[in-house]
Amino acid sequence: MLRTATVAGVLLSLLAVPSPALADDSPPPPGKITVDVVSVNGSGCPAGTTAVAVNHDNTAFTVTYSRYLAQAGGTADPTEMRKNCQLNLRVNVPHGFTYAVAQADYRGYANLAGGATGIEQANYYFTGTSPTAHVRHTFRGPLNDNWQATDKTAIADLVYAPCGEQRNLNVNSELRVNKGGSGAHSFMSMDSTDGSVNTIYHFAWKKCD
């Protein structure tokens, strides 16, 4: 699957760590920026159920899912309790700049019975580098409402793509539901009112020496 989201302007950087090859913070780069979805794999994002679009202000991109749902209890199959999705993205940036993921916002809907729990977690890495630690968010029943979780990385802990190299960005996310003692049906989805799942990733830029 290969989709392209085109940006006529700037994106803010992703999870990155300052290195000697990076100059001080600089204005966003000029010119055209694109995000290509190289591959999408996982039980939470079957083929044809995922799309990418760049926000109108060019500071982030949004991943939309339509079948990302974990469930447990009731008549749910035990294999449905955990769903995951791995995105492999190619962010095409102007020469002399690099980027990192500084923040990711996840949104959805949860219907959790008393005693049940739902978990959303994710980690990030550039191809050829070590993954970051999982950032976990836990929701406890009884709950029947929209949910939101934000992964935000301190500036000192950001990890930037190496200057002068094309390294794809990998985003691994997961939903998990534990039915608890009651055994009643519970579910958690990355969901919105129109039935899709929207996850927003915020970018920031660095200028290479």
Side-chain angles (χ1 to χ4, degrees), residues 36-144:
D36 300 331
V37 181
V38 178
S39 64
V40 180
N41 295 292
S43 55
C45 49
T49 67
T50 306
V52 175
V54 174
N55 286 19
H56 70 280
D57 59 1
N58 297 331
T59 61
F61 69 88
T62 301
V63 180
T64 302
Y65 308 90
S66 59
R67 289 180 55 189
Y68 203 158
L69 180 145
Q71 57 184 329
T75 59
D77 190 292
T79 61
E80 294 290 303
M81 68 174 292
R82 176 187 176 274
K83 293 297 178 71
N84 75 294
C85 184
Q86 175 165 316
L87 302 173
N88 184 271
L89 307 172
R90 181 168 59 243
V91 181
N92 304 299
V93 304
H95 178 73
F97 288 85
T98 189
Y99 71 96
V101 178
Q103 180 176 317
D105 299 322
Y106 298 87
R107 296 180 177 87
Y109 191 86
N111 189 332
L112 303 173
T117 57
I119 293 172
E120 180 277 323
Q121 65 179 15
N123 70 344
Y124 317 86
Y125 65 97
F126 294 104
T127 299
T129 65
S130 299
T132 62
H134 280 98
V135 181
R136 174 177 292 195
H137 304 274
T138 301
F139 302 85
R140 304 185 186 280
L143 175 65
N144 186 8

Side-chain angles (χ1 to χ4, degrees), residues 91-197:
V91 181
N92 304 299
V93 304
H95 178 73
F97 288 85
T98 189
Y99 71 96
V101 178
Q103 180 176 317
D105 299 322
Y106 298 87
R107 296 180 177 87
Y109 191 86
N111 189 332
L112 303 173
T117 57
I119 293 172
E120 180 277 323
Q121 65 179 15
N123 70 344
Y124 317 86
Y125 65 97
F126 294 104
T127 299
T129 65
S130 299
T132 62
H134 280 98
V135 181
R136 174 177 292 195
H137 304 274
T138 301
F139 302 85
R140 304 185 186 280
L143 175 65
N144 186 8
D145 204 350
N146 296 312
W147 62 267
Q148 179 172 339
T150 297
D151 297 348
K152 193 168 185 178
T153 303
I155 293 175
D157 296 327
L158 289 175
V159 179
Y160 285 92
C163 285
E165 299 181 26
Q166 179 62 63
R167 296 287 187 94
N168 289 357
L169 171 68
N170 294 277
V171 179
N172 296 311
S173 62
E174 177 181 324
L175 291 179
R176 186 187 296 265
V177 173
N178 186 325
K179 64 183 179 181
S182 73
H185 181 252
S186 295
F187 70 85
M188 183 174 181
S189 67
M190 287 195 202
D191 208 322
S192 65
T193 54
D194 63 0
S196 64
V197 179

